[in-house]
Amino acid sequence: MARDAERTKKRLLEAAAAEFAALGIAGARVDRIAHSAGCNKAMIYAYFGNKDQLFDAVFTQLVAATVERAPFDAADLAAYAGRLFDRYEADPATVRLSTWYRLERPQGVSLQAVVASNKSKLEKIERAQREGLVPAHYAPVELLTLVIATAGAWASVNPELGSDAPADRERRRVVVVDAVRRLLGTPEDPGPT
Amino acid sequence: MARDAERTKKRLLEAAAAEFAALGIAGARVDRIAHSAGCNKAMIYAYFGNKDQLFDAVFTQLVAATVERAPFDAADLAAYAGRLFDRYEADPATVRLSTWYRLERPQGVSLQAVVASNKSKLEKIERAQREGLVPAHYAPVELLTLVIATAGAWASVNPELGSDAPADRERRRVVVVDAVRRLLGTPEDPGPT
DNA sequence: GTCTGTCAACTGACTGGTTAGTTGTCTGGG
DNA sequence: CCCAGACAACTAACCAGTCAGTTGACAGAC
């Protein structure tokens, strides 16, 4: 029952995800991760190398999970934004981890999983634009950037504003999806003007 | 020339802003801030109390500077987004500091400057909506959240995507302003549909 | 069945270096 | 003379990473 390397690695990854999401790389404590995973600190070094590499392992897994839970669909970017929003709401650690990654990982270091995921999305958008499924007033990178920013808008705004925000998750979701439709120039509700 | 408390405080604030922007609260080193301000660590404790309070001082000043440099105009949110974008581009530390603040300051702690600034903006949007200057398909908080998220879209997206982005700042600015126009339902270019 | 050798999984204790925060003293301007 | 501004030196805690050694599972010999 005990002595199961895979199980230990998994517990370590979960504990690390929680610690890193809460405190970032610099704020995370290796001892605390090991303790809350119920094992010894040395296991982290045996399995993952060091603190930074442990973070990378956590983040790579997170990217994979997000790609799976919120599959990309260039032909319906509004629905994709909705799924991304759902993912962020279901697991707030996702946004935080992703933000820490942006702030704390030195420039120039790119994770393969992230690069591949982006490249694939950009190609799909470009194809959809050529096929006329997506309007072409924005370039693929521009569109993807706006869609991602919109889906994470509630999570990327200062907390003081968040406290004024509608507690109603469903309403926030509607706003996100509708906003992307408007960006695409195909609003469901054309609005007063 | 020496012995000038105000001058020392200012140097300390500048050095702290750079350090915090680069490394966050947990990653910043008090010794390094003092050294790059050309004075002693004890001065930080004499003038600001402790590390967290030093961060708050830096951030409060940043909020004031941003409000001044990017004055809010509820009647023309697209132009406001453009100004915010300019501010972020001119001083990238702004976005980073603001992000660190969101991640590292414990929930429940609110800076007066931030709360006041938000409240004022929300009231202005509400008034503009009542006067018919701004469409009302989104509530004030929703609109403000989307506008801020859009202005910071390029800065809040993972770096791997940024490297594919157009280096052309002017084009990114056009996209931001145009996106906000679309959100408001009054696009300059109505698009293919 | 049980004894024994082997190896991966695991651990407690340690280290070298770092860090936030403090204190007692000095200095120069008024 | 006096006191705010400045600092070197200090402390107590902390922390990433290491290491010598232990434990448990299991395979093959008998």
Side-chain angles (χ1 to χ4, degrees):
Chain A
M1 189 59 79
R3 304 250 163 182
D4 182 336
E6 287 313 308
R7 202 173 185 78
T8 303
K9 275 188 202 175
K10 200 184 159 198
R11 283 205 320 273
L12 239 15
L13 277 175
E14 280 164 14
E19 178 84 3
F20 282 130
L23 298 157
I25 302 177
R29 296 296 163 239
V30 173
D31 292 274
R32 200 158 37 201
I33 292 171
H35 183 260
S36 78
C39 73
N40 194 276
K41 187 167 49 156
M43 294 287 88
I44 288 173
Y45 294 92
Y47 292 142
F48 300 100
N50 62 25
K51 201 187 184 185
D52 283 340
Q53 287 173 270
L54 175 59
F55 181 87
D56 287 349
V58 167
F59 192 69
T60 301
Q61 194 188 251
L62 182 95
V63 170
T66 301
V67 167
E68 192 196 320
R69 295 264 220 117
F72 186 72
D73 178 5
D76 192 351
L77 288 170
Y80 171 65
R83 285 193 293 275
L84 215 47
F85 173 86
D86 290 338
R87 167 82 177 138
Y88 292 160
E89 290 281 321
D91 184 11
T94 304
V95 203
R96 291 183 62 91
L97 244 5
S98 166
T99 308
W100 289 116
Y101 171 73
R102 201 174 61 240
L103 289 178
E104 295 198 285
R105 292 273 50 203
Q107 299 167 343
V109 177
S110 298
L111 290 183
Q112 201 48 46
V114 182
V115 176
S117 157
N118 282 335
K119 198 182 167 195
S120 148
K121 283 174 192 144
L122 293 177
E123 284 170 358
K124 284 178 184 165
I125 292 179
E126 203 198 336
R127 210 173 308 137
Q129 285 183 329
R130 273 204 309 269
E131 292 170 10
L133 296 169
V134 169
H137 51 259
Y138 296 135
V141 204
E142 295 161 2
L143 208 41
L144 185 56
T145 301
L146 288 172
V147 168
I148 293 174
T150 304
W154 298 107
S156 69
V157 105
N158 277 341
E160 283 84 354
L161 194 55
S163 68
D164 285 312
D168 182 0
R169 173 187 301 193
E170 195 48 45
R171 169 64 187 165
R172 292 202 306 275
R173 191 187 202 280
V174 167
V175 169
V176 165
V177 174
D178 183 75
V180 172
R181 285 216 188 88
R182 284 175 189 275
L183 289 175
L184 293 170
T186 54
E188 200 169 40
D189 167 7
T193 320
Chain B
M1 192 54 80
R3 305 256 160 178
D4 183 336
E6 287 314 308
R7 202 172 186 79
T8 304
K9 276 189 204 177
K10 199 184 160 198
R11 282 206 320 272
L12 239 14
L13 277 176
E14 280 164 14
E19 178 84 3
F20 283 130
L23 299 157
I25 302 177
R29 297 296 163 238
V30 174
D31 291 275
R32 200 159 35 201
I33 292 171
H35 183 259
S36 79
C39 75
N40 194 275
K41 184 165 57 153
M43 294 287 88
I44 287 173
Y45 294 91
Y47 291 141
F48 299 100
N50 61 27
K51 201 188 184 185
D52 284 340
Q53 286 172 271
L54 175 60
F55 180 87
D56 286 349
V58 167
F59 192 69
T60 300
Q61 194 188 251
L62 181 96
V63 170
T66 301
V67 167
E68 192 196 319
R69 294 265 221 116
F72 186 71
D73 179 5
D76 192 351
L77 289 170
Y80 170 64
R83 284 194 293 275
L84 217 46
F85 173 86
D86 290 338
R87 167 79 178 140
Y88 293 160
E89 290 282 321
D91 182 12
T94 305
V95 205
R96 291 183 62 91
L97 244 6
S98 168
T99 308
W100 289 116
Y101 172 71
R102 201 172 64 239
L103 288 177
E104 295 198 285
R105 291 277 44 206
Q107 298 166 344
V109 177
S110 298
L111 289 183
Q112 201 50 46
V114 181
V115 175
S117 157
N118 281 335
K119 198 181 164 194
S120 148
K121 283 174 192 142
L122 292 178
E123 285 170 359
K124 283 178 184 166
I125 292 179
E126 204 198 334
R127 209 173 309 138
Q129 285 183 328
R130 274 203 309 268
E131 291 170 11
L133 296 170
V134 168
H137 52 259
Y138 296 136
V141 205
E142 294 162 3
L143 209 41
L144 185 55
T145 301
L146 288 172
V147 168
I148 294 174
T150 304
W154 298 107
S156 69
V157 106
N158 278 342
E160 281 84 354
L161 194 54
S163 69
D164 286 312
D168 182 359
R169 172 187 301 194
E170 195 49 47
R171 168 64 188 166
R172 293 201 306 275
R173 191 187 202 280
V174 167
V175 169
V176 165
V177 175
D178 182 75
V180 172
R181 284 215 189 89
R182 286 174 189 275
L183 288 175
L184 293 170
T186 54
E188 203 169 38
D189 168 8
T193 321

